[in-house]
Amino acid sequence: MSFKLFFLLLKAAGWTLSISLVSILLGFALAIGLSAVLLSSKRLYRAPAELFISFFRGVPLLVQLLFIYNLLPFIGLNVPSVVAAIIGLTLCTAAYQAENLRGGFESVPRGLIEAADMAGFSVRQIFLRIKVPIAMRLTFPALVNEAIMILKSSSLVSVVGIVEVTKMAQDLASSTYLPIELFSSAALIYLVICWSIALIGRYTERALPGGVK
Amino acid sequence: MTLPAINVKKLVKRFGTATVLQDIDLEVPEGKVSCLIGPSGSGKSTLLRCMAFLEESSEGMITVNGEALGFFENARGERERLPAAQIRAVRSQIGMVFQQFNLWPHMTALGNVSEALKTVHKVPKTEAEDRAMAQLKKVGLENRANHYPSQLSGGQQQRVAIARALTLSPKIMLFDEPTSALDPELTGEVLNVMRDLAAEGMTMVVVSHEIGFAATVGNQISFLDQGRLLFTGAPADVFAKPRHPRLEQFLDTYLDRGASMLV
Ligand SMILES: Nc1ncnc2c1ncn2[C@@H]1O[C@H](COP(=O)(O)OP(=O)(O)OP(=O)(O)O)[C@@H](O)[C@H]1O
Ligand SMILES: [Mg+2]
């Protein structure tokens, strides 16, 4: 297999990486909002968030992507397929990350909050200075896992017309008749990216002040 | 007769249908050490938590230096909740030390002690840290200022927790079994800090199974049993024989570590 083919795969990996990264970050921002709603004591607020989450966790990502890709033009939004792909991945990962974060917020030991309460912290100060940093620490390993899951799931966005690593390997395989070489190269690219994410995750975890408990 | 630092009147606390505290009347004298003793589940923590307003009482009143805590009695004699700002102001006179230390794991010892000054009181960083450092020095931990809780022993963590409460200059310090999560060889360093604090004239309420500490440092001992305050008195009177049969039974069951020699 020529270097030129591998280079084409690497270029496609740029799409894999960028779409995944953007989706994970947007998903995280959305997940914070969702988890806050999930923690509300009012059923009325919780219900839509719960519905959202059970939908995106219960429907295959492939179906979600096809659905969003076809729905957007239908409601008059003509967006590039990369936007449709990012929306799909973002909504999906937001659902999982929101559940993680909710678990994290719920696991912040009550005593730590009571200590802040006794020290005169407002509800907002307790949220920002105590709950958020501790919940982040508690959920960090799950967040790294989710990043890896999304990176791998991004192979599905080829159905909305994005030529990322998997699709590029497929296309090249059918034109060059080198499927074994191409798919093993694609696998290697995924492995290296996922290892790097895991490594960065572990390093960050150790570097967090006070350590992850 | 001076005003009691904390005055608990006809306090009742229920969790659901279970009555955990029944008709508690207790005066905590200013500048003295009051100890709460009693069997497990008798309601000691709950009473202390009511004094900190971490738990809302079901009936009765608590005043702190004469000011109502949490609830007051309105003109029609009904119990009414005070506005949040007022609750906050009264509570700011109280510091609390927990059995599990409850240090914030993502902050250093210095961070834990200075955090409320910075966040709540908007004290500039350097001044807050100077004041926090002075408190750490007081509990003998100035050389551990930059350690995270996970890097400190239990005894050190509890001393940081005491320093954290003290930086806010409380008038009253509440301790809920401050040494019972510690290995026996670490209890001494925490009890010594508490002794120093008592000697400075801090008003303290201490829930403890350390009967020896209660008998030697305590000025007033209250014995709780099944949610009722059976009696309150000076250590010499409370521990003098003949004792109340429930206290006798409690001491038989709970006294060890040679504390029986003290009382
Ligand atoms: N949040 C709660 N909900 C329901 N019941 C509670 C709650 N907190 C305490 N209780 C009950 O109230 C009673 C008194 O508990 P408390 O913790 O005050 O006892 P304690 O004297 O401090 O015991 P220990 O020596 O074991 O700490 C117990 O029966 C306990 O089960
Ligand atoms: Mg207790």
Side-chain angles (χ1 to χ4, degrees):
Chain A
M1 195 181 99
S2 73
F3 178 74
K4 188 169 166 272
L5 287 181
F6 192 72
F7 183 72
L8 285 172
L9 278 184
L10 277 183
K11 252 177 76 175
W15 280 112
T16 296
L17 260 180
S18 51
I19 290 179
S20 305
L21 190 71
V22 170
S23 303
I24 287 160
L25 294 179
L26 288 178
F28 183 70
L30 186 55
I32 288 187
L34 274 173
S35 65
V37 177
L38 283 176
L39 288 165
S40 154
S41 56
K42 294 205 174 63
R43 220 204 153 77
L44 195 69
Y45 296 170
R46 282 200 315 264
E50 279 164 1
L51 193 74
F52 175 92
I53 288 170
S54 47
F55 177 82
F56 284 98
R57 294 208 306 180
V59 175
L61 180 58
L62 189 57
V63 176
Q64 291 170 30
L65 286 166
L66 289 169
F67 181 67
I68 288 166
Y69 186 57
N70 289 290
L71 177 78
L72 290 177
F74 183 76
I75 59 173
L77 287 171
N78 279 311
V79 294
S81 49
V82 61
V83 174
I86 287 173
I87 291 177
L89 284 179
T90 297
L91 294 179
C92 178
T93 187
Y96 283 94
Q97 292 190 44
E99 273 297 327
N100 282 343
L101 282 174
R102 181 190 44 180
F105 278 117
E106 280 175 347
S107 320
V108 175
R110 206 171 62 136
L112 302 187
I113 295 164
E114 286 180 351
D117 191 18
M118 285 311 296
F121 286 57
S122 67
V123 173
R124 203 182 106 92
Q125 288 165 340
I126 288 178
F127 183 75
L128 292 176
R129 300 293 300 148
I130 309 295
K131 285 189 186 170
V132 169
I134 293 172
M136 288 306 148
R137 274 169 181 72
L138 292 172
T139 55
F140 190 76
L143 179 67
V144 173
N145 251 350
E146 178 60 18
I148 290 173
M149 289 304 292
I150 281 299
L151 190 108
K152 291 188 293 180
S153 305
S154 72
S155 60
L156 294 172
V157 302
S158 56
V159 296
V160 299
I162 309 281
V163 185
E164 39 62 67
V165 178
T166 308
K167 179 75 167 120
M168 180 60 88
Q170 249 176 333
D171 290 354
L172 294 176
S174 60
S175 58
T176 61
Y177 304 104
L178 292 169
I180 303 293
E181 289 84 341
L182 281 157
F183 288 122
S184 56
S185 303
L188 186 71
I189 289 174
Y190 278 114
L191 265 177
V192 168
I193 297 176
C194 289
W195 277 340
S196 312
I197 297 177
L199 209 71
I200 293 170
R202 217 168 311 146
Y203 177 81
T204 313
E205 202 172 307
R206 252 186 249 139
L208 284 176
V212 175
K213 252 188 86 190
Chain B
M1 168 99 203
T2 54
L3 203 61
I6 300 182
N7 197 351
V8 180
K9 275 184 273 179
K10 296 247 163 297
L11 191 83
V12 176
K13 174 63 187 174
R14 284 181 286 266
F15 286 113
T17 54
T19 303
V20 167
L21 292 173
Q22 183 71 51
D23 284 328
I24 305 286
D25 282 301
L26 178 64
E27 291 189 4
V28 172
E30 194 190 322
K32 298 278 163 51
V33 178
S34 305
C35 296
L36 290 176
I37 61 171
S40 183
S42 56
K44 305 179 295 293
S45 297
T46 307
L47 176 55
L48 198 73
R49 289 168 59 80
C50 284
M51 293 181 189
F53 205 63
L54 284 172
E55 216 72 78
E56 293 188 16
S57 58
S58 311
E59 290 172 30
M61 287 284 293
I62 296 178
T63 55
V64 176
N65 291 319
E67 292 178 271
L69 175 69
F71 298 96
F72 73 106
E73 209 159 87
N74 69 17
R76 276 162 291 151
E78 295 155 344
R79 232 164 75 110
E80 212 175 296
R81 212 173 193 287
L82 285 161
Q86 212 159 329
I87 293 177
R88 198 178 263 261
V90 177
R91 264 177 123 193
S92 69
Q93 305 176 39
I94 300 173
M96 175 106 176
V97 173
F98 303 84
Q99 183 175 356
Q100 298 300 335
F101 330 134
N102 293 340
L103 292 182
W104 301 309
H106 55 300
M107 298 178 197
T108 60
L110 189 68
N112 267 277
V113 181
S114 60
E115 179 62 32
L117 288 177
K118 292 185 281 194
T119 304
V120 181
H121 300 278
K122 312 294 179 210
V123 175
K125 188 169 186 272
T126 45
E127 189 197 328
E129 291 185 348
D130 286 348
R131 283 168 62 180
M133 205 59 182
Q135 287 303 335
L136 282 175
K137 200 170 247 163
K138 211 168 141 183
V139 299
L141 287 174
E142 68 272 30
N143 56 350
R144 292 284 185 280
N146 294 316
H147 286 54
Y148 285 92
S150 59
Q151 302 166 323
L152 297 172
S153 73
Q156 292 170 335
Q157 288 186 56
Q158 193 60 295
R159 282 145 69 199
V160 173
I162 293 173
R164 175 174 68 178
L166 290 176
T167 31
L168 300 174
S169 318
K171 299 209 179 91
I172 302 162
M173 285 283 283
L174 308 179
F175 296 82
D176 191 2
E177 303 205 31
T179 58
S180 55
L182 300 176
D183 292 336
E185 70 268 25
L186 299 178
T187 59
E189 60 189 66
V190 172
L191 293 177
N192 282 338
V193 168
M194 292 169 64
R195 268 192 202 98
D196 291 347
L197 204 55
E200 285 173 21
M202 175 64 81
T203 306
M204 294 161 64
V205 183
V206 184
V207 171
S208 184
H209 285 151
E210 303 276 350
I211 306 293
F213 177 87
T216 55
V217 183
N219 304 104
Q220 170 179 296
I221 311 276
S222 302
F223 180 63
L224 261 173
D225 188 46
Q226 297 180 345
R228 289 176 185 275
L229 202 59
L230 290 194
F231 45 79
T232 295
D237 300 332
V238 168
F239 292 122
K241 294 182 183 180
R243 297 170 180 140
H244 189 287
R246 288 294 297 160
L247 177 63
E248 192 69 53
Q249 194 185 348
F250 166 73
L251 291 177
D252 279 348
T253 326
Y254 287 83
L255 271 196
D256 47 8
R257 307 177 213 166
S260 51
M261 288 158 36
L262 286 164
V263 300

